Amino acid sequence: MKNIVVVGSQWGDEGKGKIVDWLSEQADIVIRFQGGHNAGHTLVIDGVTYKLRLLPSGIVRKNKISIIGNGVVIDPWALLEEIKEIKSKGVNVDVKNLIISESANLILPFHREMDEIREDTAGKGKIGTTRRGIGPAYEDKVGRRSIRVMDLRSEKNLDQRLESVLLHHNAIRKGLGKKIFEKDQLKKDLLKIAPEILKFSNPVWLKIDQFKKQKKKILFEGAQGVLLDVDHGTYPFVTSSNTVASSAATGTGCGPNSINYVLGITKAYTTRVGEGPFPTELKDNIGELLGTRGKEFGTVTSRKRRCGWFDGVLVRQSIKISGIDGIALTKLDVLDELDEIKMAVQYDLNGKKIDYLPASVEDQLKIKPIYKTFPGWKTSTNGIKNINELPENAKNYIYAIENFVGTKISSISTSPEREDTILIENPFEI
């Protein structure tokens, strides 16, 4: 038995969908453990494109069990719409292949509205959220006033829970001059969809324990990236959950000894969506070229991603914080046309050289990257499946990344197609 956690080692959007899809074919169970429908994983299978937001990537494969863990916040209407959409493409979704944690917290309409209100009034201090209510839902979770999946079982209990959460939200809304949110209609709307959600509901921790005893292979699927972690990322320009590998345990209900291998998905350059520090960002023609060739637009929001050189300092830091055992290097082919390629190997902070990202956002915005420059290869790597067939300069760049970040590269992606992958090490077979 081998259980694997997949995380992004940068700011998300590293190409996890393709890698998770490849791994999910070998896994028995695929579990989402944090985030919400702000995450977007794109899968291309037999020419059909699937854009998943809440559903784990295993859902598109037969004979796999997909689980949404307690660490995920769920917009129930968005989930039902996603299930409807995926079914329209011929994918079966039922109680045999989808499980939802009864302890998962719900995103409700007032969470989405609060997200929008805050972003619209924040001015220069805006975070750049997806405006889907993720942050406010997590706030209610830690504030112990949230509505959970299990609360949909009882109208009396749901009424009491809504009373509690709306007491908090309506006080804020009133202070902001916004309309008070009415409980009765929301309760009615929730009770209407409750049976459709509850039929998937289970104690996920118990299910995982059973699967472990049955020697099932489990794939834990993370969303976003380590640099968006609420504790370890570029705070406050982060997501509202823990995106590091260790949250796979708390976000599902199993011990850390359930994790055997951590795979960090790593783009061959760097991108970021939304606001916040980005030391290696390129606001020039090269940045535009990376964005165009890499088709750097968000899966969920279609927002244009900021692009820059590979930041070795940040990836090395993510590897240490998240306990990454190997990295899957993606989008190498995007660099094919460049004359030279740069990698940040140090930072300059007020004239002092440092080899880590400081915790203070003020310092993060001041640091200037110190680069090591590599000659480009100026030839196509698209579709190459054997490392020996790569141009020498491409191999030199790859080995330089591996040596600098201190973790082996387990695979290299040379196009969006699943088959176009150079496999060096299969995490399930180590």
Side-chain angles (χ1 to χ4, degrees), residues 151-169:
D151 293 322
L152 300 177
R153 293 176 187 151
S154 160
E155 181 176 351
K156 181 181 177 182
N157 179 59
L158 180 60
D159 190 87
Q160 292 172 345
R161 299 300 302 155
L162 284 171
E163 194 80 44
S164 173
V165 72
L166 287 176
L167 182 67
H168 171 83
H169 277 271

Side-chain angles (χ1 to χ4, degrees), residues 179-277:
K179 186 180 176 182
I180 297 300
F181 210 95
E182 297 295 337
K183 178 189 70 173
D184 291 344
Q185 185 58 50
L186 178 56
K187 184 177 76 168
K188 185 178 178 181
D189 293 341
L190 283 168
L191 289 172
K192 183 179 178 181
I193 63 168
E196 286 299 303
I197 298 295
L198 287 172
K199 70 181 182 183
F200 299 111
S201 172
N202 271 285
V204 161
W205 66 270
L206 186 58
K207 288 290 184 181
I208 292 175
D209 187 58
Q210 292 168 359
F211 295 140
K212 285 168 62 180
K213 288 175 180 175
Q214 295 165 7
K215 306 295 183 185
K216 300 291 187 182
K217 291 179 182 177
I218 302 174
L219 177 63
F220 296 91
E221 179 183 4
Q224 290 94 32
V226 173
L227 296 171
L228 289 174
D229 186 277
V230 70
D231 286 301
H232 302 288
T234 48
Y235 189 90
F237 300 97
V238 292
T239 195
S240 297
S241 61
N242 287 109
T243 59
V244 292
S246 54
S247 65
T250 52
T252 58
C254 61
N257 60 348
S258 300
I259 300 168
N260 307 111
Y261 189 100
V262 179
L263 181 66
I265 316 301
T266 307
K267 201 175 281 186
Y269 49 101
T270 310
T271 62
R272 175 165 200 169
V273 173
E275 309 301 319

Side-chain angles (χ1 to χ4, degrees), residues 66-333:
S66 293
I67 298 177
I68 299 175
N70 56 274
V72 179
V73 284
I74 300 172
D75 181 322
W77 294 279
L79 175 60
L80 293 176
E81 185 60 35
E82 189 173 337
I83 291 172
K84 181 181 176 182
E85 181 184 326
I86 209 83
K87 280 185 171 182
S88 72
K89 295 188 175 184
V91 176
N92 183 53
V93 181
D94 58 29
V95 295
K96 293 179 181 178
N97 69 344
L98 178 62
I99 298 171
I100 300 173
S101 171
E102 61 183 2
S103 302
N105 294 259
L106 299 182
I107 300 171
L108 300 176
F110 52 79
H111 291 131
R112 293 194 299 272
E113 289 183 20
M114 184 56 65
D115 211 351
E116 291 172 353
I117 291 166
R118 286 177 178 168
E119 283 291 279
D120 289 339
T121 58
K124 291 183 179 179
K126 69 177 181 177
I127 302 297
T129 77
T130 54
R131 296 169 175 259
R132 302 204 165 208
I134 313 293
Y138 273 116
E139 287 179 44
D140 282 347
K141 175 181 177 177
V142 297
R144 294 165 293 185
R145 55 182 171 264
S146 185
I147 309 295
R148 300 197 286 176
V149 170
M150 65 180 74
D151 293 322
L152 300 177
R153 293 176 187 151
S154 160
E155 181 176 351
K156 181 181 177 182
N157 179 59
L158 180 60
D159 190 87
Q160 292 172 345
R161 299 300 302 155
L162 284 171
E163 194 80 44
S164 173
V165 72
L166 287 176
L167 182 67
H168 171 83
H169 277 271
N170 279 337
I172 296 173
R173 293 171 72 93
K174 191 174 181 181
L176 293 170
K178 302 294 180 181
K179 186 180 176 182
I180 297 300
F181 210 95
E182 297 295 337
K183 178 189 70 173
D184 291 344
Q185 185 58 50
L186 178 56
K187 184 177 76 168
K188 185 178 178 181
D189 293 341
L190 283 168
L191 289 172
K192 183 179 178 181
I193 63 168
E196 286 299 303
I197 298 295
L198 287 172
K199 70 181 182 183
F200 299 111
S201 172
N202 271 285
V204 161
W205 66 270
L206 186 58
K207 288 290 184 181
I208 292 175
D209 187 58
Q210 292 168 359
F211 295 140
K212 285 168 62 180
K213 288 175 180 175
Q214 295 165 7
K215 306 295 183 185
K216 300 291 187 182
K217 291 179 182 177
I218 302 174
L219 177 63
F220 296 91
E221 179 183 4
Q224 290 94 32
V226 173
L227 296 171
L228 289 174
D229 186 277
V230 70
D231 286 301
H232 302 288
T234 48
Y235 189 90
F237 300 97
V238 292
T239 195
S240 297
S241 61
N242 287 109
T243 59
V244 292
S246 54
S247 65
T250 52
T252 58
C254 61
N257 60 348
S258 300
I259 300 168
N260 307 111
Y261 189 100
V262 179
L263 181 66
I265 316 301
T266 307
K267 201 175 281 186
Y269 49 101
T270 310
T271 62
R272 175 165 200 169
V273 173
E275 309 301 319
F278 186 168
T280 63
E281 183 174 10
L282 296 169
K283 298 180 180 179
D284 57 12
N285 291 339
I286 295 175
E288 285 294 321
L289 177 69
L290 292 174
T292 301
R293 283 184 56 82
K295 296 181 173 60
E296 297 296 351
F297 295 91
T299 299
V300 171
T301 62
S302 297
R303 288 186 298 175
K304 186 177 180 181
R305 296 174 187 143
R306 301 153 64 190
C307 298
W309 295 121
F310 183 84
D311 194 328
V313 180
L314 282 184
V315 172
R316 183 175 61 187
Q317 189 162 321
S318 292
I319 285 168
K320 293 180 187 299
I321 289 169
S322 210
I324 292 171
D325 297 298
I327 61 176
L329 191 68
T330 63
K331 294 200 169 185
L332 181 71
D333 56 304

